[in-house]
Amino acid sequence: MNWVVFDYGEVISRRTAALPRLAAALGVELAEFEPHYWAQRDFYDRGAGDLEYWRAVAEPLGIPVSKSTSDTLTEIDIEGWSHVEPESAELLEALAEAGTALALLSNAPASFARFAERQDWIKPFRVRLFSADVGLAKPDAAIYQTLVSRLGAKPADCLFFDDRQYNVDGARAVGLRAHRWLGPSTAEEALSERE
């Protein structure tokens, strides 16, 4: 079986716009907050808990984070990543209606994964693999190998879309047919070549 595999963030969803609200919740300027938010993201995506992550973000800023504060930050963060691009949703729906085998491969914390599993956009995906659930993250070879194993497929049977070139390169190194996501129109070209 041939599979079409999608990343989530900035492929299915818009880039988060929640960082100003997160910075405000910690009482700091966005310019102070943002570098730490991104610097610790890989730690979060590989399975760190919400409280662990927000404490790692806030510690260099000299801000203590309670469980209550962590819960608030997590809620804001999830909401920020929850906005699905309508064109991406339409593409997924069309592929599902055509009988395409779809899989999701996302670097995401466990709290977001549990949220995502309750959303309508995820329904077309027969297999869903979130990094935090396996303690691995793109672009590590092991996460692509885990995906392929779950799909019961050969790497070359998987067409993968991701917005980050290094994730595309990581997938190609394992043998997946991977493309940089530049929007649904560029994906359609790669999908037409598959047929």
PDB file of all heavy atoms in Angstrom, residues 72-90:
ATOM      1  N   THR A  72      -2.306  26.886  32.553  1.00  0.00           N
ATOM      2  CA  THR A  72      -2.754  28.050  31.775  1.00  0.00           C
ATOM      3  C   THR A  72      -1.929  28.203  30.509  1.00  0.00           C
ATOM      4  O   THR A  72      -2.472  28.413  29.410  1.00  0.00           O
ATOM      5  CB  THR A  72      -2.650  29.330  32.627  1.00  0.00           C
ATOM      6  OG1 THR A  72      -3.501  29.215  33.763  1.00  0.00           O
ATOM      7  CG2 THR A  72      -3.039  30.566  31.822  1.00  0.00           C
ATOM      8  N   LEU A  73      -0.607  28.101  30.644  1.00  0.00           N
ATOM      9  CA  LEU A  73       0.288  28.224  29.488  1.00  0.00           C
ATOM     10  C   LEU A  73       0.024  27.119  28.466  1.00  0.00           C
ATOM     11  O   LEU A  73       0.001  27.368  27.257  1.00  0.00           O
ATOM     12  CB  LEU A  73       1.745  28.176  29.946  1.00  0.00           C
ATOM     13  CG  LEU A  73       2.218  29.364  30.787  1.00  0.00           C
ATOM     14  CD1 LEU A  73       3.566  29.050  31.435  1.00  0.00           C
ATOM     15  CD2 LEU A  73       2.306  30.635  29.955  1.00  0.00           C
ATOM     16  N   THR A  74      -0.205  25.904  28.953  1.00  0.00           N
ATOM     17  CA  THR A  74      -0.473  24.775  28.058  1.00  0.00           C
ATOM     18  C   THR A  74      -1.761  24.999  27.281  1.00  0.00           C
ATOM     19  O   THR A  74      -1.821  24.749  26.065  1.00  0.00           O
ATOM     20  CB  THR A  74      -0.547  23.462  28.864  1.00  0.00           C
ATOM     21  OG1 THR A  74       0.692  23.262  29.548  1.00  0.00           O
ATOM     22  CG2 THR A  74      -0.826  22.272  27.955  1.00  0.00           C
ATOM     23  N   GLU A  75      -2.766  25.499  27.954  1.00  0.00           N
ATOM     24  CA  GLU A  75      -4.047  25.765  27.297  1.00  0.00           C
ATOM     25  C   GLU A  75      -3.901  26.817  26.199  1.00  0.00           C
ATOM     26  O   GLU A  75      -4.417  26.652  25.090  1.00  0.00           O
ATOM     27  CB  GLU A  75      -5.059  26.240  28.346  1.00  0.00           C
ATOM     28  CG  GLU A  75      -6.465  26.406  27.819  1.00  0.00           C
ATOM     29  CD  GLU A  75      -7.442  26.806  28.918  1.00  0.00           C
ATOM     30  OE1 GLU A  75      -7.265  26.399  30.077  1.00  0.00           O
ATOM     31  OE2 GLU A  75      -8.386  27.546  28.581  1.00  0.00           O
ATOM     32  N   ILE A  76      -3.170  27.889  26.497  1.00  0.00           N
ATOM     33  CA  ILE A  76      -2.929  28.940  25.501  1.00  0.00           C
ATOM     34  C   ILE A  76      -2.134  28.375  24.329  1.00  0.00           C
ATOM     35  O   ILE A  76      -2.418  28.659  23.156  1.00  0.00           O
ATOM     36  CB  ILE A  76      -2.175  30.132  26.137  1.00  0.00           C
ATOM     37  CG1 ILE A  76      -3.032  30.818  27.196  1.00  0.00           C
ATOM     38  CG2 ILE A  76      -1.743  31.138  25.059  1.00  0.00           C
ATOM     39  CD1 ILE A  76      -2.257  31.832  28.049  1.00  0.00           C
ATOM     40  N   ASP A  77      -1.118  27.565  24.641  1.00  0.00           N
ATOM     41  CA  ASP A  77      -0.246  27.002  23.610  1.00  0.00           C
ATOM     42  C   ASP A  77      -1.021  26.071  22.677  1.00  0.00           C
ATOM     43  O   ASP A  77      -0.885  26.144  21.449  1.00  0.00           O
ATOM     44  CB  ASP A  77       0.911  26.252  24.276  1.00  0.00           C
ATOM     45  CG  ASP A  77       2.021  25.915  23.308  1.00  0.00           C
ATOM     46  OD1 ASP A  77       2.438  26.798  22.531  1.00  0.00           O
ATOM     47  OD2 ASP A  77       2.481  24.759  23.327  1.00  0.00           O
ATOM     48  N   ILE A  78      -1.839  25.206  23.249  1.00  0.00           N
ATOM     49  CA  ILE A  78      -2.644  24.288  22.428  1.00  0.00           C
ATOM     50  C   ILE A  78      -3.584  25.077  21.527  1.00  0.00           C
ATOM     51  O   ILE A  78      -3.694  24.792  20.323  1.00  0.00           O
ATOM     52  CB  ILE A  78      -3.419  23.301  23.323  1.00  0.00           C
ATOM     53  CG1 ILE A  78      -2.454  22.276  23.940  1.00  0.00           C
ATOM     54  CG2 ILE A  78      -4.522  22.595  22.528  1.00  0.00           C
ATOM     55  CD1 ILE A  78      -3.082  21.377  24.979  1.00  0.00           C
ATOM     56  N   GLU A  79      -4.228  26.084  22.086  1.00  0.00           N
ATOM     57  CA  GLU A  79      -5.141  26.891  21.277  1.00  0.00           C
ATOM     58  C   GLU A  79      -4.403  27.553  20.122  1.00  0.00           C
ATOM     59  O   GLU A  79      -4.900  27.626  18.997  1.00  0.00           O
ATOM     60  CB  GLU A  79      -5.820  27.948  22.166  1.00  0.00           C
ATOM     61  CG  GLU A  79      -7.062  28.590  21.536  1.00  0.00           C
ATOM     62  CD  GLU A  79      -6.730  29.654  20.511  1.00  0.00           C
ATOM     63  OE1 GLU A  79      -5.684  30.336  20.636  1.00  0.00           O
ATOM     64  OE2 GLU A  79      -7.525  29.816  19.546  1.00  0.00           O
ATOM     65  N   GLY A  80      -3.186  27.998  20.385  1.00  0.00           N
ATOM     66  CA  GLY A  80      -2.398  28.654  19.352  1.00  0.00           C
ATOM     67  C   GLY A  80      -2.079  27.769  18.165  1.00  0.00           C
ATOM     68  O   GLY A  80      -1.992  28.250  17.028  1.00  0.00           O
ATOM     69  N   TRP A  81      -1.897  26.488  18.433  1.00  0.00           N
ATOM     70  CA  TRP A  81      -1.581  25.533  17.356  1.00  0.00           C
ATOM     71  C   TRP A  81      -2.821  24.837  16.796  1.00  0.00           C
ATOM     72  O   TRP A  81      -2.689  23.922  15.982  1.00  0.00           O
ATOM     73  CB  TRP A  81      -0.596  24.486  17.870  1.00  0.00           C
ATOM     74  CG  TRP A  81       0.797  24.994  18.033  1.00  0.00           C
ATOM     75  CD1 TRP A  81       1.457  25.263  19.194  1.00  0.00           C
ATOM     76  CD2 TRP A  81       1.715  25.311  16.980  1.00  0.00           C
ATOM     77  NE1 TRP A  81       2.725  25.727  18.934  1.00  0.00           N
ATOM     78  CE2 TRP A  81       2.909  25.765  17.587  1.00  0.00           C
ATOM     79  CE3 TRP A  81       1.643  25.259  15.583  1.00  0.00           C
ATOM     80  CZ2 TRP A  81       4.020  26.169  16.839  1.00  0.00           C
ATOM     81  CZ3 TRP A  81       2.759  25.659  14.848  1.00  0.00           C
ATOM     82  CH2 TRP A  81       3.928  26.100  15.468  1.00  0.00           C
ATOM     83  N   SER A  82      -4.003  25.259  17.203  1.00  0.00           N
ATOM     84  CA  SER A  82      -5.219  24.511  16.838  1.00  0.00           C
ATOM     85  C   SER A  82      -5.920  25.011  15.582  1.00  0.00           C
ATOM     86  O   SER A  82      -6.946  24.462  15.193  1.00  0.00           O
ATOM     87  CB  SER A  82      -6.215  24.548  18.008  1.00  0.00           C
ATOM     88  OG  SER A  82      -6.726  25.862  18.174  1.00  0.00           O
ATOM     89  N   HIS A  83      -5.364  26.047  14.935  1.00  0.00           N
ATOM     90  CA  HIS A  83      -6.057  26.654  13.789  1.00  0.00           C
ATOM     91  C   HIS A  83      -5.652  25.962  12.485  1.00  0.00           C
ATOM     92  O   HIS A  83      -4.536  26.131  11.992  1.00  0.00           O
ATOM     93  CB  HIS A  83      -5.769  28.150  13.737  1.00  0.00           C
ATOM     94  CG  HIS A  83      -6.216  28.849  14.984  1.00  0.00           C
ATOM     95  ND1 HIS A  83      -7.533  29.191  15.201  1.00  0.00           N
ATOM     96  CD2 HIS A  83      -5.531  29.221  16.099  1.00  0.00           C
ATOM     97  CE1 HIS A  83      -7.643  29.770  16.394  1.00  0.00           C
ATOM     98  NE2 HIS A  83      -6.443  29.789  16.962  1.00  0.00           N
ATOM     99  N   VAL A  84      -6.565  25.202  11.948  1.00  0.00           N
ATOM    100  CA  VAL A  84      -6.317  24.426  10.729  1.00  0.00           C
ATOM    101  C   VAL A  84      -6.495  25.309   9.506  1.00  0.00           C
ATOM    102  O   VAL A  84      -7.445  26.098   9.420  1.00  0.00           O
ATOM    103  CB  VAL A  84      -7.278  23.208  10.683  1.00  0.00           C
ATOM    104  CG1 VAL A  84      -7.217  22.499   9.341  1.00  0.00           C
ATOM    105  CG2 VAL A  84      -6.938  22.245  11.813  1.00  0.00           C
ATOM    106  N   GLU A  85      -5.572  25.177   8.549  1.00  0.00           N
ATOM    107  CA  GLU A  85      -5.678  25.903   7.284  1.00  0.00           C
ATOM    108  C   GLU A  85      -6.815  25.300   6.456  1.00  0.00           C
ATOM    109  O   GLU A  85      -6.796  24.093   6.165  1.00  0.00           O
ATOM    110  CB  GLU A  85      -4.371  25.792   6.501  1.00  0.00           C
ATOM    111  CG  GLU A  85      -3.209  26.568   7.082  1.00  0.00           C
ATOM    112  CD  GLU A  85      -3.309  28.059   6.812  1.00  0.00           C
ATOM    113  OE1 GLU A  85      -4.358  28.534   6.323  1.00  0.00           O
ATOM    114  OE2 GLU A  85      -2.323  28.755   7.111  1.00  0.00           O
ATOM    115  N   PRO A  86      -7.798  26.093   6.044  1.00  0.00           N
ATOM    116  CA  PRO A  86      -8.928  25.543   5.278  1.00  0.00           C
ATOM    117  C   PRO A  86      -8.508  24.788   4.015  1.00  0.00           C
ATOM    118  O   PRO A  86      -9.064  23.734   3.709  1.00  0.00           O
ATOM    119  CB  PRO A  86      -9.760  26.781   4.936  1.00  0.00           C
ATOM    120  CG  PRO A  86      -9.435  27.764   6.010  1.00  0.00           C
ATOM    121  CD  PRO A  86      -7.985  27.519   6.351  1.00  0.00           C
ATOM    122  N   GLU A  87      -7.509  25.304   3.293  1.00  0.00           N
ATOM    123  CA  GLU A  87      -7.067  24.630   2.060  1.00  0.00           C
ATOM    124  C   GLU A  87      -6.447  23.266   2.350  1.00  0.00           C
ATOM    125  O   GLU A  87      -6.617  22.318   1.583  1.00  0.00           O
ATOM    126  CB  GLU A  87      -6.069  25.505   1.298  1.00  0.00           C
ATOM    127  CG  GLU A  87      -6.696  26.724   0.652  1.00  0.00           C
ATOM    128  CD  GLU A  87      -5.686  27.497  -0.173  1.00  0.00           C
ATOM    129  OE1 GLU A  87      -4.473  27.195  -0.095  1.00  0.00           O
ATOM    130  OE2 GLU A  87      -6.118  28.417  -0.899  1.00  0.00           O
ATOM    131  N   SER A  88      -5.736  23.180   3.463  1.00  0.00           N
ATOM    132  CA  SER A  88      -5.143  21.895   3.849  1.00  0.00           C
ATOM    133  C   SER A  88      -6.240  20.903   4.228  1.00  0.00           C
ATOM    134  O   SER A  88      -6.185  19.727   3.859  1.00  0.00           O
ATOM    135  CB  SER A  88      -4.172  22.077   5.017  1.00  0.00           C
ATOM    136  OG  SER A  88      -3.092  22.903   4.639  1.00  0.00           O
ATOM    137  N   ALA A  89      -7.242  21.388   4.961  1.00  0.00           N
ATOM    138  CA  ALA A  89      -8.365  20.527   5.347  1.00  0.00           C
ATOM    139  C   ALA A  89      -9.103  20.013   4.120  1.00  0.00           C
ATOM    140  O   ALA A  89      -9.493  18.834   4.060  1.00  0.00           O
ATOM    141  CB  ALA A  89      -9.311  21.291   6.266  1.00  0.00           C
ATOM    142  N   GLU A  90      -9.272  20.872   3.127  1.00  0.00           N
ATOM    143  CA  GLU A  90      -9.947  20.468   1.880  1.00  0.00           C
ATOM    144  C   GLU A  90      -9.144  19.394   1.150  1.00  0.00           C
ATOM    145  O   GLU A  90      -9.713  18.431   0.625  1.00  0.00           O
ATOM    146  CB  GLU A  90     -10.149  21.675   0.972  1.00  0.00           C
ATOM    147  CG  GLU A  90     -11.228  22.634   1.458  1.00  0.00           C
ATOM    148  CD  GLU A  90     -11.256  23.936   0.675  1.00  0.00           C
ATOM    149  OE1 GLU A  90     -10.657  23.980  -0.421  1.00  0.00           O
ATOM    150  OE2 GLU A  90     -11.867  24.898   1.168  1.00  0.00           O
TER     151      GLU A  90
END
